[in-house]
RNA sequence: UACCCCGUGGUGUAACGGUAGCACAAGAGGUUCUGGUCCUCUUAGUCAAGGUUCGAAUCCUUGCGGGGUAACCA
């Protein structure tokens, strides 16, 4: 007999939090716009690797499409051939797929170069754009400044016929880079500098990663973006706050061009994360100047770096859904990200024992040569993960920080004469401390209580501390890379005038454990697997550097550590 | 100095003129063979001053604070 499922019994579907963009879309839908369609796009420029800030945008754009039963395109905004590369195009697609999203159409702004060119001729013909012969410096001088209106270009009143001829000759390659531009004729005294006759096309004799040498004039972002949106029938063009001031121009083009659709631009605040930088320029600099091993260095906030660090797409999506979407500029605490991966990995990561900073102990009343195979749970959160056997022998490794000769108050771990439980095994008591000539502890001699393998002590004495261990005879060593914040300061972008932002780099962001001792089952760990090293942290088997039988571990994040907090508080 | 946007606990985000809620962080306790997980509880907020209203985080005005904008970048 099965219990009939009642509505109460089935867990409610997770409701993603609403935000202001939903309000806007709902209003558009209610007003009957776009035939009830919702279509978005994620429009990266292929000039760098995607980072976690892009993840927010990806989750937003694809998430909106999912929520409203619409579609989301992936569009490469490739209008500047001097900065864009195929390598970036490839990595971006990989990252979006990895995050778990499937685009409807894969497009490139360059797919629309011919249409954009004709749009430009249309503006010229209608007297709304002209060819300007001013140099770059002159253009910016004529533009005025934030508080001073601009002056009209002397070429502003060229006839449409003359401009059209010049524009065609620009395309034909008759002029050198920078010799002329196509400019919109809008308003040189507008308080919005974007409307002061913005440049639409510039001459660039450059190789483009897709169109090769086909073009020597390229549209500017403003002239390309909205029109591409319209050509793709995008309904809602979501972008970050710094484009807000471009919106009047975005709309001006759509109003003055023969486009069928009129998408709407909506801006939101980009993600900022503490203890890292999130600008492509700075990330590129870190890569180029070798402060990190590459775009996929596990300390990088890039999606490829975060992936190699051991973050899961599920945890990233949960993070992005949880932080909200608004128009306030703010910085998310790194701890929120860490919380999202801990929450995910706690449920799925297999447990194992690994001693990162080993200290040798000898159980003097445990027979030499004897091996006891002890059963250990693979994941207490998931019974289906089963159990495994771990070898216990007379000589073991324990964590050096799990022993203190002079234990502070509330220290539950090993110290002379004190008893602790070895996880899954027996309770031991420290009988003797061996040291080298300079006073460093080299070995502990302990005894074990054979009656304590399962359950408590027989005489009722309490053993509060539990520590992890590895059989010295069976342990193996493997590279274990311990990562920390890339920057020591919480807001690495906030540096005083004249100070290099890179001076905030954390010198301890990567520490390789010198002689970690791992339990034997870990030898067969495969690239891409997640583990929790009990009492230590979550670790990821690096798919890039690991080989069969020779895994390389990356610390994704530490476990929450109540003792560390107590210690820290005691210090100061 | 011009224009635009934004101000809700420490951080981020809800509340759509009607009980200021959630998450993270912080703190206290409980459970636990991970000082993990889990559970309970606590601290803590509407930038300020006026105005409209029976009633304002929400609408208006002013002030203050933060951010954006002057590439032939996106």
């Amino acid at each position: 007999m099965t219990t009939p499922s009642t509505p109460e019994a089935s867990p409610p579907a997770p409701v993603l939090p609403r935000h202001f963009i939903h309000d806007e879309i709902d209003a558009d839908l209610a007003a009957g716009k776009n035939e009830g369609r919702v279509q978005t796009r994620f429009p990266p420029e292929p000039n760098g690797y995607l980072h976690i800030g892009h993840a927010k945008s990806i989750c937003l754009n694809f998430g909106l499409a999912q929520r409203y039963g619409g579609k989301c395109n992936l569009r490469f905004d490739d209008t500047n051939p001097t900065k864009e590369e195929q390598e970036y195009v490839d990595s971006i697609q990989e990252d979006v797929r990895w995050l778990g999203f499937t685009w409807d159409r894969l497009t490139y702004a360059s797919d629309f170069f011919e249409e954009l060119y004709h749009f430009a001729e249309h503006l010229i013909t209608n007297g709304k754009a002209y060819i300007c012969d001013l140099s770059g410096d002159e253009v910016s001088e004529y533009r005025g400044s934030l508080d001073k209106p601009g002056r009209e270009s002397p070429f502003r009143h060229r006839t449409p016929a003359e401009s059209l001829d010049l524009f065609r000759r620009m395309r034909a390659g008759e002029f050198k880079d920078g010799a002329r531009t196509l400019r919109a004729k809008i308003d040189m005294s507008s308080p919005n500098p974007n409307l002061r006759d913005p440049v639409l096309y510039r001459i660039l004799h450059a190789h483009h990663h897709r169109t090769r040498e086909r073009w020597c004039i390229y549209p500017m972002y403003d002239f390309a973006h909205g029109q591409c949106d319209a050509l793709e029938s995008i309904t809602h063009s979501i972008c970050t706050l710094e484009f807000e001031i471009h919106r009047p121009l975005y709309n001006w083009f759509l109003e003055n061009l023969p486009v069928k659709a009129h998408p709407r631009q909506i801006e939101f605040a980009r993600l900022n994360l503490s203890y890292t930088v999130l600008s492509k320029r700075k990330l590129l600099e870190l890569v180029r100047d070798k402060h990190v091993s590459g775009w996929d260095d596990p300390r990088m906030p890039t999606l490829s770096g975060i992936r190699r660090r051991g973050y899961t797409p599920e945890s990233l999506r949960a993070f992005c859904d949880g932080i909200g979407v608004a128009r306030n500029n703010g910085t998310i605490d790194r701890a929120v990200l860490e919380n999202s991966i801990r929450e995910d990995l706690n449920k799925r990561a297999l447990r194992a024992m690994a001693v990162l900073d080993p200290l040798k102990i000898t159980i003097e009343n445990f027979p030499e040569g004897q091996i006891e195979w002890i059963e250990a749970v693979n994941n207490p959160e998931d019974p289906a993960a089963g159990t495994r056997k771990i070898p216990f022998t007379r000589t073991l490794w324990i964590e050096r920080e799990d022993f203190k000769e002079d234990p502070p108050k509330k220290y539950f771990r090993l110290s002379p004469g004190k008893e602790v439980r070895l996880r899954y095994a027996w309770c031991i008591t420290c009988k003797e401390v061996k040291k080298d000539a300079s006073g460093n502890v080299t070995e502990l001699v302990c005894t074990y209580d054979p009656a304590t393998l399962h359950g408590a002590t027989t005489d009722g004495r309490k053993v509060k501390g539990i520590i992890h261990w590895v059989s010295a005879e069976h342990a193996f060593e493997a590279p274990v890379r311990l990562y920390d914040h890339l920057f020591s300061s919480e807001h690495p972008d906030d540096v005083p005038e004249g100070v290099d932002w890179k001076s905030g780099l954390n010198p301890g962001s990567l520490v390789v454990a010198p002689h970690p001792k791992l339990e034997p089952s870990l030898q067969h760990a495969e690239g891409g697997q997640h583990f929790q090293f009990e009492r230590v942290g979550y670790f990821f088997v690096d798919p890039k550097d690991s080989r069969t039988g020779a895994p390389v571990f990356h610390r994704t994040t530490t476990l929450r550590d109540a003792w560390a907090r107590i210690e820290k508080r005691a210090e100061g």
Side-chain angles (χ1 to χ4, degrees), chain A residues 207-264:
Chain A
H207 174 86
H208 185 282
H209 66 100
R210 292 198 84 233
T211 61
R212 308 289 160 184
E213 324 297 332
R214 201 143 63 233
W215 293 86
C216 63
I217 56 171
Y218 289 91
M220 300 290 291
Y221 163 86
D222 286 303
F223 191 66
H225 203 95
Q227 284 80 285
C228 288
D229 284 341
L231 292 166
E232 288 181 20
S233 304
I234 301 300
T235 58
H236 299 270
S237 183
I238 316 292
C239 63
T240 45
L241 246 27
E242 68 269 26
F243 290 100
E244 182 180 19
I245 197 162
H246 294 245
R247 193 180 346 130
L249 184 53
Y250 182 100
N251 290 330
W252 188 89
F253 288 129
L254 295 177
E255 283 154 13
N256 287 283
L257 255 13
V259 290
K260 298 178 291 283
H262 192 145
R264 162 139 81 121

Side-chain angles (χ1 to χ4, degrees), chain A residues 156-176:
Chain A
R156 199 171 202 260
H157 298 290
R158 269 225 257 246
T159 64
E162 190 186 353
S163 282
L164 199 55
D165 173 62
L166 254 11
F167 189 48
R168 287 173 178 168
R169 288 164 60 195
M170 273 169 63
R171 177 179 184 170
E174 283 189 33
F175 311 117
K176 286 207 280 285

Side-chain angles (χ1 to χ4, degrees), chain A residues 42-50 74-81 83-97 103 106-111 208-212 280 295 307:
Chain A
F42 172 61
E45 182 188 13
N47 67 343
Y49 278 60
L50 259 27
L74 172 61
R75 180 169 76 231
F76 289 98
D77 222 333
D78 57 349
T79 56
N80 186 354
K83 288 186 177 168
E84 296 149 6
E85 293 174 25
Q86 186 62 38
E87 177 194 352
Y88 300 132
V89 170
D90 296 337
S91 75
I92 288 168
Q93 292 186 48
E94 185 186 355
D95 288 345
V96 174
R97 276 197 212 98
W103 48 85
L106 174 67
T107 63
Y108 296 78
S110 55
D111 293 341
H208 185 282
H209 66 100
R210 292 198 84 233
T211 61
R212 308 289 160 184
K280 280 194 188 174
W295 287 100
R307 176 162 67 232

Side-chain angles (χ1 to χ4, degrees), chain A residues 336-356:
Chain A
V336 179
L337 218 208
E338 286 181 17
N339 181 65
S340 74
I341 188 60
R342 286 197 188 107
E343 207 171 339
D344 188 17
L345 259 21
N346 174 51
K347 290 196 212 83
R348 48 205 284 194
L350 297 180
R351 315 289 134 122
M353 290 207 281
V355 173
L356 265 28

Side-chain angles (χ1 to χ4, degrees), chain A residues 47-204:
Chain A
N47 67 343
Y49 278 60
L50 259 27
H51 56 66
I52 189 162
H54 295 106
K56 178 179 180 183
S57 174
I58 293 167
C59 290
L60 214 206
N61 278 296
F62 283 90
L64 248 17
Q66 284 172 359
R67 186 180 187 122
Y68 287 95
K71 292 170 175 173
C72 181
N73 292 347
L74 172 61
R75 180 169 76 231
F76 289 98
D77 222 333
D78 57 349
T79 56
N80 186 354
T82 63
K83 288 186 177 168
E84 296 149 6
E85 293 174 25
Q86 186 62 38
E87 177 194 352
Y88 300 132
V89 170
D90 296 337
S91 75
I92 288 168
Q93 292 186 48
E94 185 186 355
D95 288 345
V96 174
R97 276 197 212 98
W98 175 76
L99 246 196
F101 295 104
T102 306
W103 48 85
D104 181 44
R105 292 174 64 193
L106 174 67
T107 63
Y108 296 78
S110 55
D111 293 341
F112 303 107
F113 277 177
E114 196 62 46
E115 285 91 334
L116 292 170
Y117 176 84
H118 287 292
F119 281 148
E121 287 207 347
H122 183 272
L123 287 182
I124 296 170
T125 307
N126 288 287
K128 288 174 176 160
Y130 60 96
I131 298 296
C132 180
D133 298 355
L134 253 27
S135 70
D137 288 344
E138 287 166 333
V139 167
S140 75
E141 192 213 317
Y142 273 73
R143 186 161 25 238
S145 62
L146 289 176
D147 52 354
K148 275 198 289 287
R151 284 145 47 218
E152 294 190 349
S153 162
F155 304 97
R156 199 171 202 260
H157 298 290
R158 269 225 257 246
T159 64
E162 190 186 353
S163 282
L164 199 55
D165 173 62
L166 254 11
F167 189 48
R168 287 173 178 168
R169 288 164 60 195
M170 273 169 63
R171 177 179 184 170
E174 283 189 33
F175 311 117
K176 286 207 280 285
D177 286 6
R180 296 178 217 269
T181 55
L182 177 70
R183 294 228 262 161
K185 194 188 287 187
I186 307 182
D187 179 5
M188 288 308 291
S189 62
S190 169
N192 182 345
N194 287 295
L195 299 179
R196 321 242 261 229
D197 289 11
V199 171
L200 270 34
Y201 269 89
R202 74 280 214 192
I203 301 171
L204 236 41

Side-chain angles (χ1 to χ4, degrees), chain A residues 23-37:
Chain A
D23 298 341
E24 301 294 343
I25 293 178
D26 288 346
D28 289 344
L29 258 18
K33 291 184 188 169
N34 307 309
E35 311 88 41
R37 267 182 326 110

